[in-house]
C-alpha cells in the first residue's frame, strides 16, 4: 500500500504559515490584497472563485472578486486589469480561466503587471521559470503546490525520471520546468505520445494532468513510484475523480495523491502563499 499524500493536511499547514505571515505584516500596517476577475457564468469557475475568496478572508488577506458579464469587451477587460495594476492595495491579480470565447486570454494575461501576476502566467514569469533564473518571481500555483507536496516526502529527486502527462500552460509545462529545475530527467507526454504506458512505467515521479478520467491504470505505474493526480474529473456517476485509477494505483505506487483532497487544496493554499509572497516582495520584506 502506498503512502497517501494528504494534500488537505499539507495545505492546512501551509495556510497556518501564511496566516502567521499575514499577522506579522498587519503589525506593520500592511494587508496583502488579491483581486480575482471572473468573466461569464461558468458554474465550476464560480465555485473555485468562491473557495479562493473564503480562504483569503479566513487568512486575513483582502480579497476583491470582480464578476463581469460574458459580453464585456477586450478593451474594457484590459482597462479593469490596469486599474488593479495601479491599485497599491492589490498585490496579486488573477483572471480565472477559461475566459468566454471572443476574449484573448494571452493578451489579458500579458497586460497584468508581472509583479502582481499571482498565477505566474505572464510570459516574463514563464520565461524566468524556464530559464531557472534566481530571484523572486511568481510561478503557476498548481505545480508549485505539487513541489511543496513532494518536499514533504523527503525523497531525493535529483537524477531520477519524471514523466508529466499533459502540456498545458497552467499545469504540464510549468510542472516539467520545476521538475527539471529540481535536476530530474523530465519527459512530457501529450495526445500524440506513442506507447504512453511504456513511458509512464519509467517514471519515478509521475504527474498526470489531462482531464481524462482514469487514463492511468495500475499497471501503467512503476512499483514504488510517486504518483501525482492533478485531474478533477467526473466519473459516470458524476462523482469527482482523477486522471489515475486510484484503487488500482494505490497497490503499485510508493506514494499517491487522492482526488479530492490532494492537489486541489494545495493549489488554493499556494495561491494564498504567493499572494503574501508578492506583497512582501513589493515591500522588499521577508524572503519566502
Ligand atoms: N487540482 C487543481 O488545482 C487543478 C486541476 N486541474 C485539472 O487537471 C486536468 C488538466 O487540466 P489542464 O492542464 O488545464 O487541461 P488542458 O485540457 O489544458 O490540457 C490537457 C493536456 O492533457 C493532454 N492529454 C489529453 N488527453 C490525453 C491522452 N489521452 N493522452 C495523453 N495526453 C493527453 C493534452 O494534450 P494535447 O496538448 O496534445 O492536446 C493536454 O496537453 C483537468 O482535469 C483539470 O480540471 C487543472 C488545473 C488545476
Ligand atoms: N486563473 C486560474 N487560476 C487557477 O488556479 C485556476 C483557473 N484559472 N481555472 C480553473 C483551475 C482549477 N483550479 C482548482 C482549484 C482548486 C481546486 C480544489 O480545491 N479542489 C478540491 C475540491 C473541489 C471539489 O470538491 O469540487 C480537491 O481537489 O480536494 C480544484 C481546482 C484552479 N484553477
Ligand atoms: Mg493558479
Amino acid at each position: 500500500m502506498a503512502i497517501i499524500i494528504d494534500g488537505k493536511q499539507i495545505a492546512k499547514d501551509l495556510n497556518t504559515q501564511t496566516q502567521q505571515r499575514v499577522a506579522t505584516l498587519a503589525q506593520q500596517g500592511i494587508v496583502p490584497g488579491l483581486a480575482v476577475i471572473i468573466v461569464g457564468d461558468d458554474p465550476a469557475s464560480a465555485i473555485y472563485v468562491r473557495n479562493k475568496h473564503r480562504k483569503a478572508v479566513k487568512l486575513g488577506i483582502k480579497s476583491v472578486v470582480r464578476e463581469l458579464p460574458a459580453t464585456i469587451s477586450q478593451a474594457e477587460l484590459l482597462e479593469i486589469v490596469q486599474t488593479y495594476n495601479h491599485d497599491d492595495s492589490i498585490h496579486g491579480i488573477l483572471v480565472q480561466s477559461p475566459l468566454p470565447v471572443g476574449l484573448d486570454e494571452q493578451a489579458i494575461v500579458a497586460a497584468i503587471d508581472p509583479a502582481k501576476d499571482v498565477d505566474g502566467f505572464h510570459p516574463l514569469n514563464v520565461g524566468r521559470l524556464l530559464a531557472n533564473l534566481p530571484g523572486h518571481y511568481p510561478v503557476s500555483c498548481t505545480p508549485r503546490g505539487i513541489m511543496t507536496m513532494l518536499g514533504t516526502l523527503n525523497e531525493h529527486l535529483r537524477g531520477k525520471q519524471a514523466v508529466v502527462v499533459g502540456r498545458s500552460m497552467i499545469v504540464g509545462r510549468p510542472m516539467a520546468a520545476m521538475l527539471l529545475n529540481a535536476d530530474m530527467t523530465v519527459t512530457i507526454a501529450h495526445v500524440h505520445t506513442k506507447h504512453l504506458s511504456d513511458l509512464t512505467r519509467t517514471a519515478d515521479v509521475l504527474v498526470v494532468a489531462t482531464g481524462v478520467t482514469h487514463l492511468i491504470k495500475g499497471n501503467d505505474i512503476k512499483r514504488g513510484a510517486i504518483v501525482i493526480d492533478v485531474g478533477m474529473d467526473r466519473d459516470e456517476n458524476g462523482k469527482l475523480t482523477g486522471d489515475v485509477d486510484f484503487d488500482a494505483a494505490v497497490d503499485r505506487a510508493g506514494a499517491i495523491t487522492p482526488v479530492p483532497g490532494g492537489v486541489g487544496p494545495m493549489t488554493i493554499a499556494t495561491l494564498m502563499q504567493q499572494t503574501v509572497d508578492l506583497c512582501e516582495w513589493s515591500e522588499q520584506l521577508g524572503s519566502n
Side-chain angles (χ1 to χ4, degrees):
M1 262 286 279
I3 293 167
I4 314 291
I5 304 171
D6 188 350
K8 224 171 160 174
Q9 183 60 47
I10 301 166
K12 211 169 171 186
D13 295 344
L14 179 56
N15 285 330
T16 299
Q17 284 179 33
T18 301
Q19 195 165 24
Q20 284 164 356
R21 292 167 67 201
V22 172
T24 302
L25 287 165
Q27 290 168 357
Q28 300 156 267
I30 299 164
V31 180
L34 172 66
V36 176
I37 300 170
I38 175 168
V39 187
D41 48 15
D42 176 46
S45 293
I47 293 169
Y48 296 144
V49 166
R50 201 175 325 124
N51 289 349
K52 288 169 187 175
H53 175 72
R54 281 210 197 106
K55 186 60 72 185
V57 169
K58 193 165 168 240
L59 301 183
I61 294 170
K62 169 183 153 172
S63 167
V64 178
V65 177
R66 191 70 181 269
E67 294 174 30
L68 300 167
T71 52
I72 194 168
S73 71
Q74 179 83 8
E76 287 170 309
L77 185 50
L78 287 171
E79 190 58 42
I80 288 162
V81 169
Q82 287 304 337
T83 61
Y84 291 126
N85 280 345
H86 296 127
D87 182 340
D88 289 339
S89 75
I90 295 298
H91 304 90
I93 304 168
L94 178 156
V95 180
Q96 186 70 17
S97 67
L99 284 175
V101 285
L103 292 168
D104 179 352
E105 190 153 355
Q106 272 309 115
I108 288 153
V109 166
I112 296 172
D113 177 348
K116 297 191 177 188
D117 171 33
V118 71
D119 261 329
F121 293 170
H122 189 286
L124 177 66
N125 292 319
V126 174
R128 286 163 158 169
L129 174 64
L130 192 67
N132 196 19
L133 292 188
H136 295 314
Y137 50 89
V139 295
S140 183
C141 293
T142 298
R144 184 178 176 190
I146 291 168
M147 294 308 291
T148 302
M149 285 199 286
L150 291 176
T152 67
L153 297 174
N154 288 317
E155 290 263 357
H156 288 285
L157 300 181
R158 173 168 293 168
K160 293 198 173 151
Q161 305 290 327
V163 173
V164 179
V165 190
R167 55 174 170 178
S168 68
M169 287 298 294
I170 179 169
V171 191
R173 286 172 198 263
M175 183 81 261
M178 288 178 211
L179 295 169
L180 179 62
N181 294 345
D183 297 327
M184 298 198 76
T185 302
V186 183
T187 309
I188 307 174
H190 45 76
V191 286
H192 302 288
T193 298
K194 295 185 174 41
H195 314 297
L196 181 63
S197 298
D198 292 342
L199 179 65
T200 58
R201 277 194 285 266
T202 68
D204 300 304
V205 173
L206 176 62
V207 181
V208 191
T210 65
V212 180
T213 306
H214 292 189
L215 175 70
I216 301 297
K217 316 289 184 205
N219 58 12
D220 298 333
I221 294 165
K222 179 177 180 171
R223 286 200 186 277
I226 299 169
V227 179
I228 307 292
D229 188 353
V230 186
M232 293 267 303
D233 314 319
R234 298 275 160 193
D235 71 9
E236 58 276 9
N237 305 315
K239 202 176 131 232
L240 187 65
T241 184
D243 293 350
V244 177
D245 180 352
F246 183 89
D247 293 339
V250 80
D251 295 325
R252 302 268 300 194
I256 186 167
T257 61
V259 178
V263 175
M266 284 304 294
T267 295
I268 303 222
T270 304
L271 179 68
M272 300 304 139
Q273 172 189 33
Q274 198 149 263
T275 301
V276 177
D277 287 345
L278 293 177
C279 176
E280 290 181 349
W281 299 338
S282 77
E283 304 279 348
Q284 299 183 319
L285 299 166
S287 57
N288 251 11

